[in-house]
PDB file of all heavy atoms in Angstrom:
ATOM      1  N   ASP A 216      71.852-122.731-152.208  1.00 95.00           N
ATOM      2  CA  ASP A 216      71.374-124.024-152.591  1.00 95.00           C
ATOM      3  C   ASP A 216      72.202-125.044-151.863  1.00 95.00           C
ATOM      4  O   ASP A 216      73.421-124.998-151.861  1.00 95.00           O
ATOM      5  CB  ASP A 216      71.425-124.184-154.085  1.00 95.00           C
ATOM      6  CG  ASP A 216      70.779-125.495-154.604  1.00 95.00           C
ATOM      7  OD1 ASP A 216      69.707-125.918-154.062  1.00 95.00           O
ATOM      8  OD2 ASP A 216      71.245-126.181-155.480  1.00 95.00           O
ATOM      9  N   ASN A 217      71.538-126.128-151.489  1.00 95.00           N
ATOM     10  CA  ASN A 217      72.236-127.295-150.793  1.00 95.00           C
ATOM     11  C   ASN A 217      73.239-126.832-149.761  1.00 95.00           C
ATOM     12  O   ASN A 217      74.357-127.306-149.667  1.00 95.00           O
ATOM     13  CB  ASN A 217      72.911-128.075-151.878  1.00 95.00           C
ATOM     14  CG  ASN A 217      73.342-129.472-151.520  1.00 95.00           C
ATOM     15  OD1 ASN A 217      72.744-130.047-150.540  1.00 95.00           O
ATOM     16  ND2 ASN A 217      74.389-129.965-152.016  1.00 95.00           N
ATOM     17  N   ALA A 218      72.739-125.862-148.850  1.00 96.00           N
ATOM     18  CA  ALA A 218      73.559-125.389-147.736  1.00 96.00           C
ATOM     19  C   ALA A 218      74.757-124.494-148.053  1.00 96.00           C
ATOM     20  O   ALA A 218      75.500-124.208-147.256  1.00 96.00           O
ATOM     21  CB  ALA A 218      74.113-126.600-146.890  1.00 96.00           C
ATOM     22  N   LYS A 219      74.827-124.150-149.356  1.00 96.00           N
ATOM     23  CA  LYS A 219      75.963-123.309-149.782  1.00 96.00           C
ATOM     24  C   LYS A 219      75.540-122.014-150.426  1.00 96.00           C
ATOM     25  O   LYS A 219      74.509-121.900-151.065  1.00 96.00           O
ATOM     26  CB  LYS A 219      76.754-124.194-150.808  1.00 96.00           C
ATOM     27  CG  LYS A 219      77.420-125.378-150.163  1.00 96.00           C
ATOM     28  CD  LYS A 219      78.231-126.109-151.220  1.00 96.00           C
ATOM     29  CE  LYS A 219      78.864-127.403-150.743  1.00 96.00           C
ATOM     30  NZ  LYS A 219      79.644-128.132-151.751  1.00 96.00           N
ATOM     31  N   LEU A 220      76.430-120.998-150.341  1.00 96.00           N
ATOM     32  CA  LEU A 220      76.282-119.776-151.015  1.00 96.00           C
ATOM     33  C   LEU A 220      76.630-119.964-152.526  1.00 96.00           C
ATOM     34  O   LEU A 220      77.732-120.479-152.837  1.00 96.00           O
ATOM     35  CB  LEU A 220      77.208-118.664-150.469  1.00 96.00           C
ATOM     36  CG  LEU A 220      77.372-117.455-151.207  1.00 96.00           C
ATOM     37  CD1 LEU A 220      76.074-116.684-151.484  1.00 96.00           C
ATOM     38  CD2 LEU A 220      78.455-116.517-150.535  1.00 96.00           C
ATOM     39  N   ILE A 221      75.721-119.673-153.434  1.00 96.00           N
ATOM     40  CA  ILE A 221      76.015-119.881-154.872  1.00 96.00           C
ATOM     41  C   ILE A 221      76.428-118.530-155.472  1.00 96.00           C
ATOM     42  O   ILE A 221      77.293-118.531-156.341  1.00 96.00           O
ATOM     43  CB  ILE A 221      74.729-120.374-155.547  1.00 96.00           C
ATOM     44  CG1 ILE A 221      74.281-121.696-154.934  1.00 96.00           C
ATOM     45  CG2 ILE A 221      75.019-120.674-156.989  1.00 96.00           C
ATOM     46  CD1 ILE A 221      75.313-122.805-154.915  1.00 96.00           C
ATOM     47  N   GLN A 222      75.703-117.424-155.166  1.00 96.00           N
ATOM     48  CA  GLN A 222      76.023-116.185-155.682  1.00 96.00           C
ATOM     49  C   GLN A 222      75.530-115.057-154.826  1.00 96.00           C
ATOM     50  O   GLN A 222      74.493-115.087-154.240  1.00 96.00           O
ATOM     51  CB  GLN A 222      75.430-115.917-157.155  1.00 96.00           C
ATOM     52  CG  GLN A 222      75.867-114.651-157.863  1.00 96.00           C
ATOM     53  CD  GLN A 222      75.503-114.606-159.276  1.00 96.00           C
ATOM     54  OE1 GLN A 222      74.865-115.464-159.800  1.00 96.00           O
ATOM     55  NE2 GLN A 222      75.956-113.505-160.018  1.00 96.00           N
ATOM     56  N   LEU A 223      76.368-113.989-154.671  1.00 97.00           N
ATOM     57  CA  LEU A 223      76.053-112.806-153.817  1.00 97.00           C
ATOM     58  C   LEU A 223      76.435-111.616-154.594  1.00 97.00           C
ATOM     59  O   LEU A 223      77.569-111.315-154.831  1.00 97.00           O
ATOM     60  CB  LEU A 223      76.814-112.905-152.460  1.00 97.00           C
ATOM     61  CG  LEU A 223      76.683-111.639-151.609  1.00 97.00           C
ATOM     62  CD1 LEU A 223      75.168-111.372-151.218  1.00 97.00           C
ATOM     63  CD2 LEU A 223      77.473-111.844-150.313  1.00 97.00           C
ATOM     64  N   ASP A 224      75.369-110.824-154.987  1.00 96.00           N
ATOM     65  CA  ASP A 224      75.743-109.700-155.885  1.00 96.00           C
ATOM     66  C   ASP A 224      74.472-108.694-155.916  1.00 96.00           C
ATOM     67  O   ASP A 224      73.458-109.046-155.332  1.00 96.00           O
ATOM     68  CB  ASP A 224      76.009-110.114-157.274  1.00 96.00           C
ATOM     69  CG  ASP A 224      77.150-109.223-157.907  1.00 96.00           C
ATOM     70  OD1 ASP A 224      77.066-107.957-157.612  1.00 96.00           O
ATOM     71  OD2 ASP A 224      77.900-109.716-158.767  1.00 96.00           O
ATOM     72  N   THR A 225      74.592-107.668-156.596  1.00 94.00           N
ATOM     73  CA  THR A 225      73.480-106.707-156.747  1.00 94.00           C
ATOM     74  C   THR A 225      72.522-107.451-157.698  1.00 94.00           C
ATOM     75  O   THR A 225      72.811-108.276-158.541  1.00 94.00           O
ATOM     76  CB  THR A 225      73.934-105.406-157.424  1.00 94.00           C
ATOM     77  OG1 THR A 225      74.427-105.702-158.776  1.00 94.00           O
ATOM     78  CG2 THR A 225      75.013-104.741-156.590  1.00 94.00           C
ATOM     79  N   PRO A 226      71.231-106.988-157.544  1.00 90.00           N
ATOM     80  CA  PRO A 226      70.193-107.573-158.425  1.00 90.00           C
ATOM     81  C   PRO A 226      70.559-107.465-159.896  1.00 90.00           C
ATOM     82  O   PRO A 226      70.424-108.403-160.709  1.00 90.00           O
ATOM     83  CB  PRO A 226      68.872-106.785-158.069  1.00 90.00           C
ATOM     84  CG  PRO A 226      69.102-106.417-156.687  1.00 90.00           C
ATOM     85  CD  PRO A 226      70.632-106.105-156.557  1.00 90.00           C
ATOM     86  N   GLU A 227      71.078-106.323-160.226  1.00 89.00           N
ATOM     87  CA  GLU A 227      71.399-106.059-161.692  1.00 89.00           C
ATOM     88  C   GLU A 227      72.464-107.078-162.217  1.00 89.00           C
ATOM     89  O   GLU A 227      72.422-107.541-163.285  1.00 89.00           O
ATOM     90  CB  GLU A 227      71.878-104.542-161.915  1.00 89.00           C
ATOM     91  CG  GLU A 227      70.824-103.548-161.671  1.00 89.00           C
ATOM     92  CD  GLU A 227      70.607-103.293-160.184  1.00 89.00           C
ATOM     93  OE1 GLU A 227      71.357-103.810-159.311  1.00 89.00           O
ATOM     94  OE2 GLU A 227      69.687-102.585-159.865  1.00 89.00           O
ATOM     95  N   ASN A 228      73.510-107.269-161.320  1.00 92.00           N
ATOM     96  CA  ASN A 228      74.639-108.118-161.779  1.00 92.00           C
ATOM     97  C   ASN A 228      74.196-109.561-161.884  1.00 92.00           C
ATOM     98  O   ASN A 228      74.731-110.252-162.691  1.00 92.00           O
ATOM     99  CB  ASN A 228      75.772-107.970-160.838  1.00 92.00           C
ATOM    100  CG  ASN A 228      76.534-106.632-160.999  1.00 92.00           C
ATOM    101  OD1 ASN A 228      76.410-105.941-162.052  1.00 92.00           O
ATOM    102  ND2 ASN A 228      77.359-106.214-159.919  1.00 92.00           N
ATOM    103  N   ILE A 229      73.319-109.972-160.982  1.00 92.00           N
ATOM    104  CA  ILE A 229      72.812-111.341-160.990  1.00 92.00           C
ATOM    105  C   ILE A 229      71.984-111.564-162.324  1.00 92.00           C
ATOM    106  O   ILE A 229      72.174-112.589-162.991  1.00 92.00           O
ATOM    107  CB  ILE A 229      71.921-111.604-159.769  1.00 92.00           C
ATOM    108  CG1 ILE A 229      72.850-111.703-158.506  1.00 92.00           C
ATOM    109  CG2 ILE A 229      71.259-112.989-159.991  1.00 92.00           C
ATOM    110  CD1 ILE A 229      72.099-111.888-157.227  1.00 92.00           C
ATOM    111  N   VAL A 230      71.208-110.546-162.623  1.00 88.00           N
ATOM    112  CA  VAL A 230      70.310-110.668-163.871  1.00 88.00           C
ATOM    113  C   VAL A 230      71.287-110.780-165.145  1.00 88.00           C
ATOM    114  O   VAL A 230      70.988-111.533-166.058  1.00 88.00           O
ATOM    115  CB  VAL A 230      69.335-109.599-164.002  1.00 88.00           C
ATOM    116  CG1 VAL A 230      68.696-109.599-165.366  1.00 88.00           C
ATOM    117  CG2 VAL A 230      68.292-109.760-162.878  1.00 88.00           C
ATOM    118  N   ASN A 231      72.284-109.891-165.164  1.00 88.00           N
ATOM    119  CA  ASN A 231      73.198-109.745-166.224  1.00 88.00           C
ATOM    120  C   ASN A 231      74.264-110.801-166.359  1.00 88.00           C
ATOM    121  O   ASN A 231      74.672-111.082-167.478  1.00 88.00           O
ATOM    122  CB  ASN A 231      73.830-108.388-166.281  1.00 88.00           C
ATOM    123  CG  ASN A 231      72.775-107.207-166.482  1.00 88.00           C
ATOM    124  OD1 ASN A 231      71.817-107.406-167.192  1.00 88.00           O
ATOM    125  ND2 ASN A 231      73.063-106.084-165.940  1.00 88.00           N
ATOM    126  N   ASP A 232      74.544-111.338-165.201  1.00 91.00           N
ATOM    127  CA  ASP A 232      75.616-112.401-165.172  1.00 91.00           C
ATOM    128  C   ASP A 232      75.414-113.423-164.134  1.00 91.00           C
ATOM    129  O   ASP A 232      76.186-113.525-163.145  1.00 91.00           O
ATOM    130  CB  ASP A 232      76.985-111.579-164.908  1.00 91.00           C
ATOM    131  CG  ASP A 232      78.177-112.536-165.105  1.00 91.00           C
ATOM    132  OD1 ASP A 232      78.044-113.586-165.808  1.00 91.00           O
ATOM    133  OD2 ASP A 232      79.315-112.109-164.573  1.00 91.00           O
TER     134      ASP A 232
END
Side-chain angles (χ1 to χ4, degrees):
D216 186 41
N217 196 27
K219 296 180 181 179
L220 166 62
I221 305 300
Q222 186 168 4
L223 173 60
D224 213 328
T225 64
E227 294 80 7
N228 286 345
I229 290 173
V230 170
N231 293 327
D232 189 20

